[in-house]
Each structure stands twice: as structure tokens, then as C-alpha cells.
Amino acid sequence: MARPHIEPLDESWVPWRKLDLPGFPRGIEYRTLSFDDDTGAISAVAKFEAGYSQPPGFSRSSMEIVVMDGYLKVGDRRCGFGFYFYVPAGVSLPRIETPEGARVLLFYNDSEPSFVESDAHADGISPDAQPTIVDSVSDLSWSETHLFPATEKGCLVKIVRWDEETHALSFFYTMVPGFWQDNVSYHDCMEEAYHIYGTSWIMQFGYLGTGGYFYRPPYIGHGPFACEHGCLAFGRTDGELYNHFNWNPFATPEENHRRAVEKMKKRRPNMFTWEYRRSDEMWVP
Amino acid sequence: MDANARIAQWKEEERRAQAERYERIVAAMEALAPERDRWVEEFFERIQTRGWSFHAGMRRRIPRDQIPERPNRPWRVVW
């Protein structure tokens, strides 16, 4: 069933496991946050033991890493708190070491975690291909979401990746102390987030503290939202993050989906009409 | 054990562990129902008085006759 709705998850519920899949050096433990049982893709918290060393190599899956504690030495570069990596499938990273250990968020997007030792990229990958590495602390400033409609003021983001084809996002977000937003929302895309620090509240799910996580499939209602003392989190979507704001918390995902289609008819009438006419079948959302 | 068998075993272990976590989440969310019922009444009260957030600090009040009735079915929050 791919990934179910996981919300809310407290990281401490999940035991640490050794990452002992083929190819990986010893020295990584992880806690699964969510798992796709069709593909093996996984979102996890991982810790690298002090002295861990991984030779140059690549994964068969695209992957993302967020450094939360300690630092990774990637080649000659020291990557500490707030560093973000997006590594396309088959793109080789230089040697990774964690002299003092590190704790990270780790996402394998396409398949189970894999590691192939190699100085070069996988066959078929352009030699010019590079990972995206962002120092979110030094290189990015907090900004409004610039979504329309947008969250209440006081929810700020640092967007570290935007996929130009799918509009998928990876981003840090923070809610300032006293943040409050009185609406129910749903999206046309999956949304997941991990609380690096602090506690927020969502009416349906209660309080999400440090180490809290959710993986929310499309069209699931959530909100209102609040954050009493401030929080820092990392989130991702797999498509455009459009806020369908409303005030009906009782609607099912199917009802929300139908309403989203009705809204699209109003917001993008030409596209909706064109898509409807080209289809041989009656549109049944 | 060869690599493919190990990966298959790992996937099955993860699938089972996630199913257990899912059941724990569902139980926790059922236990939260009384508090959630109070929160939703407070939400409906606020959007009639303080206002409903429709965009970045902009709010409007929702008339009482537009407050949704609770459907005659359990309010499911985990899907």
C-alpha cells in the first residue's frame, strides 16, 4: 500500500536498528519514520557512530540528508548542523567521515537504502552530475512561504530544494512563539515533516514535540495549528504545496479531493475544460 | 544470505514494524477524541468571533449557519 498515513509519530517509539543492508559499512543505526512497502523507500533518523568512515560511492536511489547534530566530513568539507544534501541516484559522493559522530535525517526516495562503493558515478550518469549541498544556516535567510493562499504570518521557511518538474519541495520551517492559524487545510500532494526542536499543535492530532514526525498523504484535513514556544522542523512534499483552506474538519479525503477538483474548475477553467474534452471518458474525480 | 534475499527480509521486517506503529497511532488518536471534540468546539467559536484565516494574517468571520454539522459517522483523523 505504499506509505500509510503516519501521524503523529514520536520518534522514541521506534527502536534503533543497525543499517546492515548489503554494501553499507558498519556504524550506522537508524529509526524508521515511514516506509514505502512497495519500493523500500524510507524516511529515517540515522546516527553515525564516532569514527564512521564510508568510502566514495553512490546509492541506486536518490537521497536527501539533513544534519541535525555533529558533523559529516564530506571530502574536505565539514558539514554541520543545518546542512542539506540532495544526491541524485547514481551520483557518487566523496568519502564521508564522522570523527565525532553525527545524527541526521535520511531519506531514500526511490528504493531501499543502498550503497555501492565507487569513485565514479553509476553507468549512464553524466560525469557533470553533482549533488546539491546547502548550508541552510549560513547561506539562507528565513522568508515568508510566498504561497497563495499562505499560512499565517510567523510560519517561515528556508527552501533547500524545489523540483522544477514536479514542484516538490524540501524545506526547513519554523513557527514563531505564539503562532496561531485558525483554518483546516489539505493539499494535493503528500506532506511529511520532522520536528528538530520544539512543539506544535494540530487540532486533529494534538501535540507534536521534538522528535515528532508525520507522513500525510494528499487530501487529509489538518488544522487549526498553533505553536506556543516556537519550533524548528524539516518538511518535504512530492508536488506543489497548494493550501486548500476551509473550516470543515470532518471532511474525508475523498470529499476533499472532490472539492479540490471543483476549485480547479474555477481557478483554471481552461485547463479543466481542455482536460475534460480530450478525455474519452466521463470525468469522475 | 544473498543480497536480494536480505533486502526482501528487511522490507518485510520494516512492513511489519510500520503496521504495529500505525495501530499504535490509531489507538492514540482514538484516545484523544474527547479532547479533540472540545478543541473543535473552541475552533468553531473562534472562527465566528475572531475569524477564519484565509490568507497570511487575513481573517473573516464565519456565520453560524455555515458552521458544519458533525456527520453521522465516526470522525476519523488517521487514514
Side-chain angles (χ1 to χ4, degrees):
Chain A
M1 69 170 295
R3 293 192 213 202
H5 182 199
I6 299 289
E7 182 171 20
L9 177 72
D10 182 333
E11 178 199 328
S12 67
W13 296 358
V14 188
W16 289 104
R17 295 187 68 185
K18 290 187 189 314
L19 183 56
D20 57 359
L21 286 169
F24 283 96
R26 288 181 186 173
I28 305 176
E29 291 191 340
Y30 71 100
R31 282 172 160 166
T32 302
L33 299 172
S34 67
F35 169 71
D36 185 320
D37 61 12
D38 288 337
T39 66
I42 189 169
S43 301
V45 174
K47 58 183 183 185
F48 296 86
E49 69 180 24
Y52 176 81
S53 180
Q54 176 177 300
F58 60 81
S59 170
R60 293 189 188 87
S61 165
S62 68
M63 59 182 292
E64 295 171 70
I65 304 172
V66 177
V67 181
M68 298 193 289
D69 283 314
Y71 68 92
L72 308 181
K73 188 162 171 277
V74 181
D76 295 328
R77 191 168 185 186
R78 181 182 169 126
C79 303
F81 173 77
F83 264 77
Y84 165 82
F85 298 72
Y86 173 77
V87 189
V91 168
S92 181
L93 283 173
R95 176 173 291 278
I96 296 177
E97 295 171 303
T98 57
E100 298 167 21
R103 194 170 64 95
V104 305
L105 289 172
L106 192 54
F107 305 92
Y108 285 88
N109 298 326
D110 316 313
S111 61
E112 72 282 350
S114 61
F115 177 73
V116 178
E117 187 175 341
S118 173
D119 285 329
H121 297 340
D123 290 346
I125 303 294
S126 164
D128 297 331
Q130 293 290 324
T132 301
I133 303 177
V134 180
D135 178 355
S136 74
V137 175
S138 296
D139 296 346
L140 296 178
S141 299
W142 293 106
S143 72
E144 304 277 337
T145 60
H146 301 298
L147 302 173
F148 213 99
T151 50
E152 281 281 354
K153 295 183 175 187
C155 179
L156 304 170
V157 295
K158 291 184 177 187
I159 294 174
V160 290
R161 181 168 182 267
W162 176 73
D163 187 296
E164 62 186 271
E165 280 188 16
T166 64
H167 292 200
L169 292 168
S170 298
F171 55 99
F172 290 88
Y173 67 91
T174 183
M175 296 180 205
V176 299
F179 178 81
W180 191 274
Q181 179 175 311
D182 258 334
N183 58 30
V184 179
S185 185
Y186 59 88
H187 312 295
D188 305 301
C189 60
M190 168 286 286
E191 184 177 35
E192 71 174 324
Y194 175 87
H195 262 225
I196 297 169
Y197 164 83
T199 299
S200 68
W201 172 85
I202 300 180
M203 184 176 72
Q204 290 83 348
F205 308 105
Y207 293 92
L208 192 70
T210 300
Y213 170 82
F214 64 81
Y215 180 94
R216 184 187 304 133
Y219 303 112
I220 292 175
H222 53 285
F225 316 81
C227 183
E228 188 175 1
H229 299 296
C231 69
L232 172 66
F234 183 79
R236 305 196 312 162
T237 71
D238 62 358
E240 181 182 359
L241 186 63
Y242 181 83
N243 290 315
H244 292 278
F245 289 152
N246 67 94
W247 60 87
N248 183 355
F250 306 124
T252 67
E254 290 76 17
E255 290 164 347
N256 288 337
H257 188 184
R258 282 198 293 274
R259 284 200 302 189
V261 172
E262 291 303 314
K263 284 170 89 173
M264 190 178 82
K265 280 163 74 173
K266 292 179 183 165
R267 285 203 339 263
R268 299 176 180 175
N270 294 330
M271 179 181 166
F272 183 88
T273 304
W274 182 85
E275 188 65 25
Y276 182 86
R277 283 186 181 155
R278 74 188 272 276
S279 170
D280 292 334
E281 298 176 6
M282 183 66 90
W283 179 295
V284 183
Chain B
M1 185 182 292
D2 74 15
N4 287 338
R6 172 65 191 120
I7 290 166
Q9 179 191 47
W10 178 84
K11 284 183 177 175
E12 178 56 23
E13 290 165 358
E14 289 292 339
R15 187 194 62 75
R16 250 187 269 154
Q18 179 157 271
E20 289 173 13
R21 290 193 295 274
Y22 181 85
E23 291 307 319
R24 181 170 177 175
I25 288 168
V26 169
M29 291 301 95
E30 284 175 3
L32 192 64
E35 214 163 353
R36 185 183 304 114
D37 288 346
R38 180 169 56 81
W39 289 337
V40 76
E41 291 309 315
E42 292 169 354
F43 169 61
F44 287 157
E45 180 63 26
R46 284 194 310 273
I47 62 176
Q48 293 174 82
T49 52
R50 183 174 179 262
W52 168 73
S53 307
F54 65 91
H55 173 66
M58 299 161 75
R59 299 189 202 107
R60 65 179 168 87
R61 290 181 187 170
I62 304 299
R64 174 161 288 284
D65 63 2
Q66 291 183 23
I67 298 298
E69 292 286 321
R70 190 165 178 150
N72 188 23
R73 65 186 180 213
W75 182 13
R76 183 176 170 187
V77 299
V78 181
W79 296 86

